[in-house]
Amino acid sequence: MKSYQLMTPLRGILLFTVITLLNSACTKTSLIGEDIFVSDTLGLKSTDTISMFTTTVVGEETRVYTPVSSQQLPNYLVGQLADPMFGNSTAIAYAQLRLLTTSPNFESTTLDSVVLSLPYDVNGRHYGNTDGPQTITIARLTESMDAAEEIRSTQRFESGQILGQKTFIPKFTDSVDILVPSGDTVLQERVRPQLRIPLSSAFGEELLNSADQMTGIDDFLAYFKGIEIKGDGNTDAMLSLALSAASMTLYYTQEDSIFDEDDNFLSIKDIPKRYVFAVNSFSAKSVYYFNDRTGIGRDRVDAPITRYMNNTTDSLLFVQSTQGTMAKVTFPYLDDLAGVIVNKAELIVTVANRDNLTNFGLPEQLILTSLSDSNYIVIEDMSVSLNTAGSFVLFGGEAVTETANNESVTTYTMNVTGHFQSMIDGLVGNDLFIVTFPKPQIANRVILGGAGHSTYPIKLKLNYTRLD
């Protein structure tokens, strides 16, 4: 099973200080294709023409749920996305609903409604044509989820009965006014931006008749295993939902006796009430991702991305979040650098296609992983950055856009100093993988220049010392 993990730093970063000693003097190209600057005294050299093989490979599954509440995803994607370059993507979310109180009294009640509340992600990680109409369908799970076990992005859960469906245009920033029972009346309450989906009255009646299934959480989860949240029709967007704040509310009225201050019976009155089933940190939650790169459009043809997969010197690299694709970068001639000390190494990639950035915005952050014992782990330079600075500031990888000659150019520069030294020393493999971040939480993608691109080729900017 593959996952992202943090490595402990293999070496210090004191070698960065050597960079300040560089002097400029030109010399000839070496076997690895380097145009270098040399200080004869110090043996310091610089190049940005290291040979690389590049291609696009299928992305790996990712963990989408863990019982450890502090490590759970803050948002879950739902929807369908038709991308003319990458193909069709689907995200289906699942969640358990839990009891906040047990053994409810539903005697002498009349159903008003049952409503599912799905708050929008506060970080706005929606993607695609979110200005168009969306259709979300809620179905009842027929397969149990286990909140004590991790869940991967390849796992689907079986569903059956359709509980509700809604077609709407998202309003991600508009608060919602709802009516809330309070005492013997109903008050108006303003809640965070959210999608509210009415569920079927037949299901509401079933809940009112199932109080005996709500005496404990285990009994309830055996009776009601959870919900599937799925985009239907031509939604052409991925919505980001804060599932840990979701809830299902049963609204009803209940006959209640009214007494005066002397405890004398006055009358029977219908009192508005509600009963809440919550999705919280104790609930199992997951999202299933599927990326279809074949059969797109009316002619059912392969997406353009398929022509650039699993080659060696591609001109374009396709990097996609969820369970899409990643760029593989291979350094084939590292033996020519044997024995050198890496002072600084930066991998620089440039966006090679900027079509329709309105619906297909660029990732704000890219990261690098490598293979270790069949696991994809972040490289040590990223670990150092996260462990010492608490951010990506030492690693880089953020999108930087500059305009020159009326043309916008976006680049991502990533510090690979420690990892590249480990490559040269034979401690790790010669492959790096470019991945979006946060991969399971937003459906974004980017097309980068590969080793064979004529205008925006991938580059490794290397400063090093040759000791021999």
Side-chain angles (χ1 to χ4, degrees):
M1 189 165 292
K2 299 176 181 179
S3 61
Y4 294 132
Q5 306 168 2
L6 293 181
M7 295 178 65
T8 56
L10 298 179
R11 62 186 72 248
I13 58 174
L14 295 178
L15 292 173
F16 280 84
T17 58
V18 181
I19 300 169
T20 59
L21 301 176
L22 289 171
N23 293 313
S24 296
C26 194
T27 189
K28 64 181 181 180
T29 302
S30 76
L31 291 176
I32 57 172
E34 56 182 318
D35 296 325
I36 57 176
F37 295 97
V38 180
S39 166
D40 292 334
T41 303
L42 298 176
L44 304 179
K45 303 181 181 182
S46 177
T47 180
D48 63 0
T49 57
I50 297 292
S51 296
M52 286 174 272
F53 294 155
T54 60
T55 192
T56 299
V57 295
V58 174
E60 291 301 307
E61 67 175 26
T62 184
R63 185 182 71 187
V64 293
Y65 170 77
T66 170
V68 182
S69 59
S70 62
Q71 298 178 18
Q72 292 176 8
L73 298 183
N75 67 294
Y76 290 79
L77 301 181
V78 172
Q80 297 176 342
L81 192 63
D83 189 317
M85 298 299 290
F86 284 74
N88 300 321
S89 299
T90 299
I92 303 172
Y94 306 93
Q96 287 178 333
L97 290 148
R98 300 179 70 91
L99 303 173
L100 295 182
T101 59
T102 58
S103 303
N105 175 16
F106 291 147
E107 294 182 2
S108 303
T109 57
T110 301
L111 176 71
D112 289 332
S113 63
V114 56
V115 178
L116 180 67
S117 168
L118 299 171
Y120 293 121
D121 166 36
V122 295
N123 294 312
R125 291 178 172 141
H126 316 287
Y127 201 73
N129 181 22
T130 57
D131 293 330
Q134 312 293 317
T135 299
I136 298 294
T137 298
I138 307 301
R140 185 173 186 166
L141 291 185
T142 57
E143 180 182 356
S144 295
M145 304 179 72
D146 189 347
E149 297 291 333
E150 288 189 351
I151 303 175
R152 314 295 293 184
S153 58
T154 51
Q155 184 169 353
R156 294 196 68 169
F157 292 89
E158 295 296 325
S159 64
Q161 176 189 9
I162 301 298
L163 301 179
Q165 185 180 77
K166 185 173 184 177
T167 299
F168 59 100
I169 294 179
K171 297 181 179 179
F172 300 123
T173 59
D174 291 351
S175 299
V176 179
D177 292 325
I178 64 173
L179 297 177
V180 178
S182 178
D184 60 355
T185 187
V186 175
L187 301 178
Q188 183 170 286
E189 179 180 311
R190 178 158 292 184
V191 295
R192 62 187 283 185
Q194 60 188 252
L195 171 62
R196 296 178 65 81
I197 302 178
L199 305 184
S200 73
S201 57
F203 175 58
E205 294 287 358
E206 179 190 334
L207 289 175
L208 287 178
N209 293 318
S210 301
D212 59 337
Q213 306 288 344
M214 303 177 193
T215 57
I217 185 60
D218 291 337
D219 289 339
F220 177 70
L221 289 178
Y223 156 68
F224 188 75
K225 296 175 173 57
I227 56 173
E228 174 191 75
I229 310 167
K230 181 180 180 181
D232 276 323
N234 297 318
T235 56
D236 208 22
M238 293 283 189
L239 305 184
S240 179
L241 305 175
L243 274 192
S244 290
S247 63
M248 181 176 71
T249 304
L250 181 63
Y251 295 95
Y252 59 97
T253 57
Q254 187 169 40
E255 290 184 358
D256 202 357
S257 299
I258 306 300
F259 299 88
D260 64 16
E261 58 185 13
D262 295 322
D263 245 7
N264 296 313
F265 173 78
L266 295 178
S267 63
I268 299 292
K269 184 177 180 180
D270 287 337
I271 305 298
K273 294 186 178 182
R274 65 174 175 171
Y275 189 81
V276 178
F277 307 85
V279 182
N280 54 32
S281 60
F282 298 103
S283 304
K285 302 168 287 290
S286 73
V287 57
Y288 164 76
Y289 293 128
F290 177 68
N291 301 93
D292 182 7
R293 288 170 281 274
T294 62
I296 67 170
R298 291 181 179 273
D299 298 328
R300 311 301 295 168
V301 298
D302 290 352
I305 184 177
T306 59
R307 300 195 296 268
Y308 296 90
M309 298 186 68
N310 301 311
N311 302 313
T312 56
T313 56
D314 283 332
S315 59
L316 296 177
L317 300 173
F318 292 71
V319 182
Q320 185 181 29
S321 292
T322 64
Q323 200 167 298
T325 53
M326 52 190 177
K328 180 180 179 181
V329 182
T330 302
F331 297 90
Y333 306 124
L334 292 184
D335 288 345
D336 294 330
L337 289 171
V340 307
I341 296 176
V342 177
N343 303 321
K344 186 173 184 179
E346 293 178 319
L347 189 68
I348 304 171
V349 289
T350 304
V351 176
N353 184 303
R354 302 180 64 87
D355 294 344
N356 197 4
L357 293 186
T358 300
N359 290 340
F360 302 110
L362 301 174
E364 295 181 2
Q365 179 74 46
L366 296 181
I367 64 172
L368 292 171
T369 65
S370 64
L371 270 174
S372 176
D373 297 327
S374 299
N375 293 318
Y376 286 90
I377 59 175
V378 298
I379 68 169
E380 63 185 271
D381 303 276
M382 182 174 160
S383 298
V384 169
S385 185
L386 294 175
N387 292 334
T388 61
S391 69
F392 294 107
V393 64
L394 301 178
F395 168 75
E398 72 278 6
V400 176
T401 301
E402 298 177 331
T403 301
N405 300 322
N406 296 321
E407 179 185 11
S408 293
V409 177
T410 301
T411 59
Y412 299 84
T413 301
M414 291 164 279
N415 175 21
V416 296
T417 304
H419 191 82
F420 197 69
Q421 181 73 68
S422 295
M423 279 185 170
I424 293 172
D425 295 343
L427 302 176
V428 297
N430 289 11
D431 297 328
L432 286 174
F433 298 86
I434 304 174
V435 184
T436 61
F437 181 88
K439 183 175 181 280
Q441 295 170 235
I442 185 169
N444 55 19
R445 48 71 147 188
V446 62
I447 301 174
L448 304 168
H453 200 279
S454 59
T455 307
Y456 303 120
I458 186 172
K459 291 186 177 182
L460 183 80
K461 188 176 180 180
L462 175 66
N463 296 323
Y464 65 99
T465 303
R466 189 178 288 278
L467 299 180
D468 51 9

